[in-house]
Amino acid sequence: MAPADVSFATVGGIMRYQNGGWILGFNRFFKNCSVFDAELWGILDGLALLMDRGYDNVLIQTDNLEIGHWSIWHISKEDNHDANCLFKMIHNRRDNLCLFE
């Protein structure tokens, strides 16, 4: 049996210019997915769509309170040395998550 917070979910988004003008909209259906996971997939879908269209300056807004307290900031490659070292440790194409503590 699935956990109580996992069920059918849908996600959608609207991308607008800074002045409020419409860029595009999208939606997606998920069979078994938590609301939180669906929201994250929606953000990923939206970012991918915008990147495909050449947009590189994006503000993400969400009505999901679980995500509302997060902040995403750019860090330079030079300051992100540890993460780059972990990235380079991948020797084959596996889609497994590897955890380093």
Side-chain angles (χ1 to χ4, degrees):
M1 177 171 262
D5 65 339
V6 175
S7 61
F8 298 105
T10 59
V11 66
I14 296 174
M15 283 73 146
R16 297 181 183 274
Y17 293 105
Q18 189 173 4
N19 67 5
W22 177 275
I23 298 174
L24 62 93
F26 71 95
N27 63 23
R28 183 192 288 238
F29 173 81
F30 297 98
K31 286 190 177 182
N32 294 318
C33 189
S34 71
V35 172
F36 181 75
D37 288 344
E39 188 77 17
L40 292 178
W41 278 112
I43 291 170
L44 180 62
D45 284 345
L47 288 172
L49 290 166
L50 288 171
M51 287 176 58
D52 286 348
R53 286 160 178 78
Y55 294 93
D56 61 0
N57 189 1
V58 177
L59 170 65
I60 299 169
Q61 295 179 318
T62 178
D63 62 357
N64 185 313
L65 292 177
E66 292 180 64
I67 297 175
H69 64 277
W70 291 15
S71 295
I72 299 174
W73 297 92
H74 175 264
I75 184 170
S76 70
K77 191 178 287 190
E78 294 78 23
D79 291 335
N80 202 20
H81 177 72
D82 294 338
N84 286 326
C85 289
L86 290 176
F87 173 74
K88 292 176 183 175
M89 291 174 63
I90 298 173
H91 296 289
N92 58 17
R93 293 183 179 198
R94 297 181 308 168
D95 56 357
N96 300 3
L97 173 67
C98 296
L99 179 64
F100 301 92
E101 295 188 75

